Amino acid sequence: MTFGDSLSYIIIFYTQLETSIGAVSRLKTFSDKVEPESREGEDIVPASDWPLKGGIQIRGVSASYGVAAGAEHASDSQQLALVDLNLDIAPGEKVAICGRTGSGKSSTILLLLRLLDPLPSCNENITIDGTPLHKIDRSTLRQRIIAVPQDPVFLPDGTSFQANLDPLGLSTAAECRAVLEAVDLWASLVDPPARGGGPGLAGPLAADALSQGQKQLFSLARAILRRRIRARTRTRTRTRAGSDDSGILLLDEVSSSVDRDTDRAMQQIIKDEFAGYTIVMVSHRLDVVMDFDRVVVMDSGRIVETGPPRDLVELESSRFGELWMIGNESRGKA
Ligand SMILES: Nc1ncnc2c1ncn2[C@@H]1O[C@H](COP(=O)(O)OP(=O)(O)OP(=O)(O)O)[C@@H](O)[C@H]1O
C-alpha cells in the first residue's frame, strides 16, 4: 500500500466514522447532501486543549435535513428534525437522551458534530466552552470531540487490528493492547490463549467475522484510546490551568447489540474511563441511564422533559416514567 493509499483510507475511515453516527444509510444520503461544505466563517482555531471543560449550550435551535446550505428556512414540506432546542449541559455532566423512535435523539448528537446544521436563523446558537460551534472547522471539531456510533466502521479486510484501532498511529502497541483488554476483546479475539494464541495486534482484522456486539466493543476501545492519547498529549503541552482529563464524549446507542451483562460492563468502563468528561448518550435501555445526572426526553424533535432520572421515574405523570413503564413491559416479556 502506498502512502497515498494509506492516507485515503485514513480519510475514508474518519469520514465514515463520522457519518456512521445513527443509521448509516440515512446518513449516507445526508452526508451526500451536505458535504463538501462551505468553510466560510469557520475562522476560529481553538486552543489545542479545547474543549477544556466541556460545557455545552444550545439556545433555541431548530434543524431540518431538508435545508440546503444557504437556504433561509425549511419549506413546509421539509419537516423539522429538531424544534427550538434549548439545552445547557454543565462541564462534566452526564446526560442521557431518551425518547421514542424518530424523536430526534441521534439528530441532537449530529448537531453537536456539525453533521446536521441548524437553520440559518439560529446557526450561531450553539457554543462549547463559550466558542460558537459554527466558527470551528468541522474536521477540527470532530477530532476534538470523541464520538462513538451505533454502527462502527472498519478499514478494509486485511488491515491490522492495530491500524483499525488507531489509524493515525498515535499510540503504542502496549496502549492498544491495554484498551482491548479493558473491553475484554484481547483474550477473546486478538490473542485467545485457549486457541494457542491469536494473530496479535499486527494480525488482520476481518470485520465480517465480528459480531455486531464485538464491533461495538471495538468501537468503545477506540474511544478509550483516543481519551488516553488526548490525556497524555495534554499533560505534555498544557500551559493553562485545567483538568488533563476532561472533554466531550458523545455516544449513540453504543451497546444496542450486546447482552445486558455486557452492556452493564460497558457502562462501568465508560463511567470509569470518562469520569471527568461531559457525556451525552442516546439510549433506549433506560435501566442503564438511571445513574446519569440527567435525562432529556425527546418527542417529535422537541425536548419535552428533563431532570434527574430517579426523580422523574417517581413522578406520577412524567414522560420518562411512561417510557420506563413501556420498558418494564418489554423487559418482563424478554
Ligand atoms: N438523513 C435523514 N434525512 C432525512 N430525515 C432524517 C434523516 N435522519 C433522520 N431524519 C428524520 O429526523 C427525525 C429525527 O430522527 P432521529 O434519527 O434523530 O431520531 P431518533 O430519536 O434518533 O430515532 P431512533 O431511535 O429510531 O434512532 C425523524 O423524523 C427522521 O425521519
Side-chain angles (χ1 to χ4, degrees):
M1 202 193 290
T2 65
F3 176 72
D5 286 342
S6 336
L7 200 61
S8 322
Y9 279 136
I10 288 168
I11 291 165
I12 290 166
F13 178 81
Y14 275 110
T15 309
Q16 287 182 329
L17 196 64
E18 289 158 2
T19 54
S20 64
I21 294 276
V24 174
S25 53
R26 277 181 299 157
L27 287 170
K28 174 92 183 73
T29 320
F30 165 62
S31 67
D32 288 348
K33 266 190 212 141
V34 173
E35 313 232 351
E37 55 227 350
S38 157
R39 289 176 176 268
E40 209 177 307
E42 296 176 353
D43 48 11
I44 293 180
V45 180
S48 61
D49 53 7
W50 184 90
L52 188 64
K53 298 178 182 156
I56 301 170
Q57 205 170 57
I58 303 175
R59 287 280 150 82
V61 170
S62 299
S64 163
Y65 288 90
V67 180
E72 269 310 305
H73 301 289
S75 73
D76 292 345
S77 59
Q78 290 160 340
Q79 224 189 334
L80 293 176
L82 297 173
V83 188
D84 194 21
L85 225 62
N86 286 288
L87 188 59
D88 272 9
I89 301 179
E93 197 179 8
K94 316 290 184 251
V95 175
I97 306 183
C98 306
R100 293 189 169 218
T101 297
S103 55
K105 304 181 295 293
S106 295
S107 301
T108 306
I109 299 283
L110 295 179
L111 194 69
L112 294 172
L113 290 168
R114 295 196 64 203
L115 281 159
L116 173 64
D117 281 328
L119 297 186
S121 53
C122 47
N123 194 29
E124 299 172 11
N125 300 7
I126 307 175
T127 58
I128 290 184
D129 284 352
T131 304
L133 221 55
H134 73 291
K135 291 274 188 185
I136 296 174
D137 161 62
R138 290 170 205 257
S139 49
T140 305
L141 175 70
R142 293 166 205 166
Q143 281 157 19
R144 301 295 184 85
I145 290 179
I146 302 179
V148 186
Q150 182 177 357
D151 299 305
V153 175
F154 289 83
L155 293 174
D157 279 1
T159 313
S160 70
F161 280 94
Q162 187 159 354
N164 262 293
L165 205 53
D166 176 19
L168 297 179
L170 301 173
S171 56
T172 63
E175 286 174 317
C176 289
R177 177 176 177 156
V179 296
L180 288 167
E181 283 175 341
V183 299
D184 227 3
L185 282 183
W186 179 261
S188 63
L189 187 72
V190 188
D191 196 23
R195 282 184 245 145
L201 282 173
L205 187 160
D208 286 350
L210 301 189
S211 71
Q212 187 61 19
Q214 284 174 321
K215 288 181 185 173
Q216 291 187 329
L217 286 166
F218 198 90
S219 187
L220 178 59
R222 280 177 179 149
I224 298 171
L225 190 62
R226 282 188 64 189
R227 185 201 67 71
R228 292 184 182 180
I229 294 169
R230 185 176 148 88
R232 134 160 87 66
T233 317
R234 204 191 267 182
T235 310
R236 264 207 315 264
T237 59
R238 182 159 59 91
T239 51
R240 295 191 285 159
S243 163
D244 286 333
D245 209 6
S246 54
I248 295 177
L249 174 70
L250 306 178
L251 305 160
D252 191 357
E253 294 281 5
V254 294
S255 55
S256 56
S257 299
V258 301
D259 57 63
R260 280 193 185 280
D261 287 347
T262 309
D263 193 0
R264 272 187 215 108
M266 283 175 85
Q267 296 302 329
Q268 192 58 49
I269 294 168
I270 291 166
K271 207 171 162 184
D272 296 343
E273 279 285 336
F274 293 90
Y277 270 57
T278 304
I279 300 181
V280 183
M281 180 178 86
V282 170
S283 182
H284 273 115
R285 287 192 180 162
L286 299 192
D287 44 341
V288 304
V289 312
M290 285 316 244
D291 285 340
F292 274 58
D293 298 322
R294 190 152 57 109
V295 288
V296 167
V297 183
M298 298 194 70
D299 188 7
S300 308
R302 296 174 189 274
I303 293 176
V304 291
E305 190 171 80
T306 175
R310 289 184 193 282
D311 292 356
L312 293 181
V313 85
E314 295 295 328
L315 291 180
E316 205 157 294
S317 61
S318 81
R319 301 296 292 260
F320 183 68
E322 247 174 64
L323 293 172
W324 179 257
M325 292 305 288
I326 296 167
N328 269 347
E329 281 164 27
S330 53
R331 277 192 291 276
K333 278 183 207 145

PDB file of all heavy atoms in Angstrom, residues 233-257:
ATOM      1  N   THR A 233      -1.188  13.671  25.689  1.00  0.00           N
ATOM      2  CA  THR A 233      -0.718  14.814  24.918  1.00  0.00           C
ATOM      3  C   THR A 233      -0.950  16.100  25.699  1.00  0.00           C
ATOM      4  O   THR A 233      -0.110  16.984  25.746  1.00  0.00           O
ATOM      5  CB  THR A 233      -1.496  14.910  23.576  1.00  0.00           C
ATOM      6  OG1 THR A 233      -1.599  13.615  23.049  1.00  0.00           O
ATOM      7  CG2 THR A 233      -0.812  15.833  22.604  1.00  0.00           C
ATOM      8  N   ARG A 234      -2.114  16.152  26.356  1.00  0.00           N
ATOM      9  CA  ARG A 234      -2.461  17.375  27.069  1.00  0.00           C
ATOM     10  C   ARG A 234      -1.543  17.598  28.263  1.00  0.00           C
ATOM     11  O   ARG A 234      -1.145  18.721  28.554  1.00  0.00           O
ATOM     12  CB  ARG A 234      -3.911  17.284  27.532  1.00  0.00           C
ATOM     13  CG  ARG A 234      -4.509  18.634  27.741  1.00  0.00           C
ATOM     14  CD  ARG A 234      -5.810  18.478  28.426  1.00  0.00           C
ATOM     15  NE  ARG A 234      -6.903  18.413  27.493  1.00  0.00           N
ATOM     16  CZ  ARG A 234      -8.169  18.321  27.903  1.00  0.00           C
ATOM     17  NH1 ARG A 234      -8.463  18.264  29.168  1.00  0.00           N
ATOM     18  NH2 ARG A 234      -9.115  18.284  27.035  1.00  0.00           N
ATOM     19  N   THR A 235      -1.181  16.520  28.947  1.00  0.00           N
ATOM     20  CA  THR A 235      -0.289  16.648  30.102  1.00  0.00           C
ATOM     21  C   THR A 235       1.046  17.235  29.649  1.00  0.00           C
ATOM     22  O   THR A 235       1.638  18.060  30.335  1.00  0.00           O
ATOM     23  CB  THR A 235      -0.029  15.264  30.731  1.00  0.00           C
ATOM     24  OG1 THR A 235      -1.270  14.630  30.924  1.00  0.00           O
ATOM     25  CG2 THR A 235       0.665  15.387  32.054  1.00  0.00           C
ATOM     26  N   ARG A 236       1.473  16.823  28.446  1.00  0.00           N
ATOM     27  CA  ARG A 236       2.763  17.316  27.950  1.00  0.00           C
ATOM     28  C   ARG A 236       2.720  18.782  27.560  1.00  0.00           C
ATOM     29  O   ARG A 236       3.645  19.527  27.785  1.00  0.00           O
ATOM     30  CB  ARG A 236       3.169  16.495  26.717  1.00  0.00           C
ATOM     31  CG  ARG A 236       4.103  15.351  27.020  1.00  0.00           C
ATOM     32  CD  ARG A 236       4.964  15.004  25.818  1.00  0.00           C
ATOM     33  NE  ARG A 236       4.243  14.936  24.566  1.00  0.00           N
ATOM     34  CZ  ARG A 236       3.780  13.810  24.028  1.00  0.00           C
ATOM     35  NH1 ARG A 236       3.969  12.689  24.646  1.00  0.00           N
ATOM     36  NH2 ARG A 236       3.149  13.832  22.875  1.00  0.00           N
ATOM     37  N   THR A 237       1.580  19.191  26.947  1.00  0.00           N
ATOM     38  CA  THR A 237       1.564  20.525  26.340  1.00  0.00           C
ATOM     39  C   THR A 237       0.780  21.559  27.142  1.00  0.00           C
ATOM     40  O   THR A 237       0.725  22.711  26.759  1.00  0.00           O
ATOM     41  CB  THR A 237       0.936  20.458  24.935  1.00  0.00           C
ATOM     42  OG1 THR A 237      -0.383  19.940  25.088  1.00  0.00           O
ATOM     43  CG2 THR A 237       1.739  19.572  24.016  1.00  0.00           C
ATOM     44  N   ARG A 238       0.151  21.134  28.229  1.00  0.00           N
ATOM     45  CA  ARG A 238      -0.758  22.048  28.921  1.00  0.00           C
ATOM     46  C   ARG A 238      -0.033  23.272  29.456  1.00  0.00           C
ATOM     47  O   ARG A 238       0.981  23.170  30.117  1.00  0.00           O
ATOM     48  CB  ARG A 238      -1.457  21.327  30.072  1.00  0.00           C
ATOM     49  CG  ARG A 238      -2.454  22.171  30.815  1.00  0.00           C
ATOM     50  CD  ARG A 238      -3.420  21.284  31.554  1.00  0.00           C
ATOM     51  NE  ARG A 238      -2.749  20.420  32.498  1.00  0.00           N
ATOM     52  CZ  ARG A 238      -2.553  20.763  33.764  1.00  0.00           C
ATOM     53  NH1 ARG A 238      -2.939  21.930  34.210  1.00  0.00           N
ATOM     54  NH2 ARG A 238      -1.962  19.928  34.579  1.00  0.00           N
ATOM     55  N   THR A 239      -0.569  24.416  29.128  1.00  0.00           N
ATOM     56  CA  THR A 239       0.001  25.654  29.642  1.00  0.00           C
ATOM     57  C   THR A 239      -1.012  26.376  30.516  1.00  0.00           C
ATOM     58  O   THR A 239      -0.671  27.212  31.322  1.00  0.00           O
ATOM     59  CB  THR A 239       0.408  26.599  28.492  1.00  0.00           C
ATOM     60  OG1 THR A 239      -0.716  26.717  27.629  1.00  0.00           O
ATOM     61  CG2 THR A 239       1.603  26.051  27.728  1.00  0.00           C
ATOM     62  N   ARG A 240      -2.305  26.048  30.289  1.00  0.00           N
ATOM     63  CA  ARG A 240      -3.336  26.728  31.064  1.00  0.00           C
ATOM     64  C   ARG A 240      -3.790  25.853  32.209  1.00  0.00           C
ATOM     65  O   ARG A 240      -3.637  24.630  32.160  1.00  0.00           O
ATOM     66  CB  ARG A 240      -4.545  27.020  30.171  1.00  0.00           C
ATOM     67  CG  ARG A 240      -4.228  27.989  29.071  1.00  0.00           C
ATOM     68  CD  ARG A 240      -5.479  28.434  28.407  1.00  0.00           C
ATOM     69  NE  ARG A 240      -6.035  27.432  27.527  1.00  0.00           N
ATOM     70  CZ  ARG A 240      -7.295  27.419  27.161  1.00  0.00           C
ATOM     71  NH1 ARG A 240      -8.131  28.298  27.645  1.00  0.00           N
ATOM     72  NH2 ARG A 240      -7.740  26.519  26.324  1.00  0.00           N
ATOM     73  N   ALA A 241      -4.385  26.499  33.210  1.00  0.00           N
ATOM     74  CA  ALA A 241      -4.917  25.707  34.319  1.00  0.00           C
ATOM     75  C   ALA A 241      -6.128  24.923  33.829  1.00  0.00           C
ATOM     76  O   ALA A 241      -6.891  25.399  33.013  1.00  0.00           O
ATOM     77  CB  ALA A 241      -5.330  26.633  35.452  1.00  0.00           C
ATOM     78  N   GLY A 242      -6.309  23.728  34.299  1.00  0.00           N
ATOM     79  CA  GLY A 242      -7.474  22.945  33.906  1.00  0.00           C
ATOM     80  C   GLY A 242      -7.181  21.479  34.063  1.00  0.00           C
ATOM     81  O   GLY A 242      -6.062  21.074  34.344  1.00  0.00           O
ATOM     82  N   SER A 243      -8.207  20.674  33.860  1.00  0.00           N
ATOM     83  CA  SER A 243      -8.027  19.240  34.038  1.00  0.00           C
ATOM     84  C   SER A 243      -7.296  18.652  32.836  1.00  0.00           C
ATOM     85  O   SER A 243      -7.436  19.118  31.715  1.00  0.00           O
ATOM     86  CB  SER A 243      -9.400  18.594  34.170  1.00  0.00           C
ATOM     87  OG  SER A 243      -9.287  17.227  33.957  1.00  0.00           O
ATOM     88  N   ASP A 244      -6.511  17.617  33.094  1.00  0.00           N
ATOM     89  CA  ASP A 244      -5.861  16.912  31.991  1.00  0.00           C
ATOM     90  C   ASP A 244      -6.814  15.925  31.360  1.00  0.00           C
ATOM     91  O   ASP A 244      -6.535  15.357  30.338  1.00  0.00           O
ATOM     92  CB  ASP A 244      -4.657  16.112  32.523  1.00  0.00           C
ATOM     93  CG  ASP A 244      -3.511  17.036  32.849  1.00  0.00           C
ATOM     94  OD1 ASP A 244      -3.437  18.104  32.238  1.00  0.00           O
ATOM     95  OD2 ASP A 244      -2.716  16.673  33.727  1.00  0.00           O
ATOM     96  N   ASP A 245      -7.923  15.680  32.031  1.00  0.00           N
ATOM     97  CA  ASP A 245      -8.755  14.590  31.595  1.00  0.00           C
ATOM     98  C   ASP A 245     -10.225  14.965  31.524  1.00  0.00           C
ATOM     99  O   ASP A 245     -11.066  14.371  32.189  1.00  0.00           O
ATOM    100  CB  ASP A 245      -8.534  13.396  32.537  1.00  0.00           C
ATOM    101  CG  ASP A 245      -8.778  12.095  31.806  1.00  0.00           C
ATOM    102  OD1 ASP A 245      -8.990  12.148  30.586  1.00  0.00           O
ATOM    103  OD2 ASP A 245      -8.787  11.053  32.464  1.00  0.00           O
ATOM    104  N   SER A 246     -10.506  15.984  30.741  1.00  0.00           N
ATOM    105  CA  SER A 246     -11.895  16.377  30.535  1.00  0.00           C
ATOM    106  C   SER A 246     -12.104  16.581  29.050  1.00  0.00           C
ATOM    107  O   SER A 246     -11.141  16.685  28.289  1.00  0.00           O
ATOM    108  CB  SER A 246     -12.194  17.671  31.311  1.00  0.00           C
ATOM    109  OG  SER A 246     -11.252  18.644  30.942  1.00  0.00           O
ATOM    110  N   GLY A 247     -13.332  16.646  28.653  1.00  0.00           N
ATOM    111  CA  GLY A 247     -13.649  16.801  27.238  1.00  0.00           C
ATOM    112  C   GLY A 247     -15.094  16.421  27.024  1.00  0.00           C
ATOM    113  O   GLY A 247     -15.896  16.448  27.961  1.00  0.00           O
ATOM    114  N   ILE A 248     -15.422  16.056  25.786  1.00  0.00           N
ATOM    115  CA  ILE A 248     -16.811  15.702  25.480  1.00  0.00           C
ATOM    116  C   ILE A 248     -16.851  14.327  24.812  1.00  0.00           C
ATOM    117  O   ILE A 248     -16.099  14.060  23.872  1.00  0.00           O
ATOM    118  CB  ILE A 248     -17.454  16.766  24.566  1.00  0.00           C
ATOM    119  CG1 ILE A 248     -17.550  18.094  25.330  1.00  0.00           C
ATOM    120  CG2 ILE A 248     -18.833  16.319  24.080  1.00  0.00           C
ATOM    121  CD1 ILE A 248     -18.108  19.239  24.521  1.00  0.00           C
ATOM    122  N   LEU A 249     -17.742  13.481  25.321  1.00  0.00           N
ATOM    123  CA  LEU A 249     -17.954  12.149  24.750  1.00  0.00           C
ATOM    124  C   LEU A 249     -19.412  12.049  24.315  1.00  0.00           C
ATOM    125  O   LEU A 249     -20.321  12.280  25.110  1.00  0.00           O
ATOM    126  CB  LEU A 249     -17.652  11.075  25.812  1.00  0.00           C
ATOM    127  CG  LEU A 249     -17.965   9.630  25.408  1.00  0.00           C
ATOM    128  CD1 LEU A 249     -16.995   9.130  24.330  1.00  0.00           C
ATOM    129  CD2 LEU A 249     -17.901   8.700  26.624  1.00  0.00           C
ATOM    130  N   LEU A 250     -19.622  11.691  23.049  1.00  0.00           N
ATOM    131  CA  LEU A 250     -20.980  11.501  22.533  1.00  0.00           C
ATOM    132  C   LEU A 250     -21.170  10.023  22.197  1.00  0.00           C
ATOM    133  O   LEU A 250     -20.327   9.430  21.505  1.00  0.00           O
ATOM    134  CB  LEU A 250     -21.191  12.340  21.259  1.00  0.00           C
ATOM    135  CG  LEU A 250     -20.893  13.842  21.367  1.00  0.00           C
ATOM    136  CD1 LEU A 250     -21.103  14.520  20.004  1.00  0.00           C
ATOM    137  CD2 LEU A 250     -21.773  14.499  22.428  1.00  0.00           C
ATOM    138  N   LEU A 251     -22.249   9.442  22.681  1.00  0.00           N
ATOM    139  CA  LEU A 251     -22.493   8.013  22.477  1.00  0.00           C
ATOM    140  C   LEU A 251     -23.882   7.820  21.891  1.00  0.00           C
ATOM    141  O   LEU A 251     -24.865   8.300  22.458  1.00  0.00           O
ATOM    142  CB  LEU A 251     -22.429   7.281  23.827  1.00  0.00           C
ATOM    143  CG  LEU A 251     -21.155   7.447  24.664  1.00  0.00           C
ATOM    144  CD1 LEU A 251     -21.424   7.090  26.124  1.00  0.00           C
ATOM    145  CD2 LEU A 251     -20.044   6.569  24.117  1.00  0.00           C
ATOM    146  N   ASP A 252     -23.965   7.132  20.762  1.00  0.00           N
ATOM    147  CA  ASP A 252     -25.273   6.920  20.148  1.00  0.00           C
ATOM    148  C   ASP A 252     -25.612   5.433  20.102  1.00  0.00           C
ATOM    149  O   ASP A 252     -25.152   4.722  19.208  1.00  0.00           O
ATOM    150  CB  ASP A 252     -25.295   7.506  18.726  1.00  0.00           C
ATOM    151  CG  ASP A 252     -26.710   7.551  18.162  1.00  0.00           C
ATOM    152  OD1 ASP A 252     -27.642   7.073  18.846  1.00  0.00           O
ATOM    153  OD2 ASP A 252     -26.887   8.051  17.045  1.00  0.00           O
ATOM    154  N   GLU A 253     -26.381   4.980  21.074  1.00  0.00           N
ATOM    155  CA  GLU A 253     -26.809   3.572  21.122  1.00  0.00           C
ATOM    156  C   GLU A 253     -25.617   2.633  20.968  1.00  0.00           C
ATOM    157  O   GLU A 253     -25.636   1.706  20.152  1.00  0.00           O
ATOM    158  CB  GLU A 253     -27.810   3.286  19.987  1.00  0.00           C
ATOM    159  CG  GLU A 253     -29.123   4.017  20.112  1.00  0.00           C
ATOM    160  CD  GLU A 253     -30.080   3.376  21.108  1.00  0.00           C
ATOM    161  OE1 GLU A 253     -29.683   2.402  21.768  1.00  0.00           O
ATOM    162  OE2 GLU A 253     -31.188   3.876  21.252  1.00  0.00           O
ATOM    163  N   VAL A 254     -24.582   2.852  21.762  1.00  0.00           N
ATOM    164  CA  VAL A 254     -23.332   2.141  21.548  1.00  0.00           C
ATOM    165  C   VAL A 254     -23.357   0.698  22.027  1.00  0.00           C
ATOM    166  O   VAL A 254     -22.452  -0.068  21.736  1.00  0.00           O
ATOM    167  CB  VAL A 254     -22.156   2.866  22.231  1.00  0.00           C
ATOM    168  CG1 VAL A 254     -21.898   4.194  21.577  1.00  0.00           C
ATOM    169  CG2 VAL A 254     -22.391   3.022  23.724  1.00  0.00           C
ATOM    170  N   SER A 255     -24.395   0.343  22.785  1.00  0.00           N
ATOM    171  CA  SER A 255     -24.433  -1.025  23.301  1.00  0.00           C
ATOM    172  C   SER A 255     -25.709  -1.732  22.867  1.00  0.00           C
ATOM    173  O   SER A 255     -26.155  -2.667  23.513  1.00  0.00           O
ATOM    174  CB  SER A 255     -24.316  -0.990  24.827  1.00  0.00           C
ATOM    175  OG  SER A 255     -25.325  -0.158  25.358  1.00  0.00           O
ATOM    176  N   SER A 256     -26.278  -1.288  21.746  1.00  0.00           N
ATOM    177  CA  SER A 256     -27.584  -1.830  21.331  1.00  0.00           C
ATOM    178  C   SER A 256     -27.514  -3.315  20.963  1.00  0.00           C
ATOM    179  O   SER A 256     -28.523  -3.995  20.996  1.00  0.00           O
ATOM    180  CB  SER A 256     -28.122  -1.036  20.141  1.00  0.00           C
ATOM    181  OG  SER A 256     -27.171  -1.057  19.107  1.00  0.00           O
ATOM    182  N   SER A 257     -26.321  -3.820  20.628  1.00  0.00           N
ATOM    183  CA  SER A 257     -26.240  -5.219  20.167  1.00  0.00           C
ATOM    184  C   SER A 257     -25.575  -6.152  21.167  1.00  0.00           C
ATOM    185  O   SER A 257     -25.216  -7.264  20.806  1.00  0.00           O
ATOM    186  CB  SER A 257     -25.466  -5.278  18.845  1.00  0.00           C
ATOM    187  OG  SER A 257     -26.121  -4.530  17.877  1.00  0.00           O
TER     188      SER A 257
END
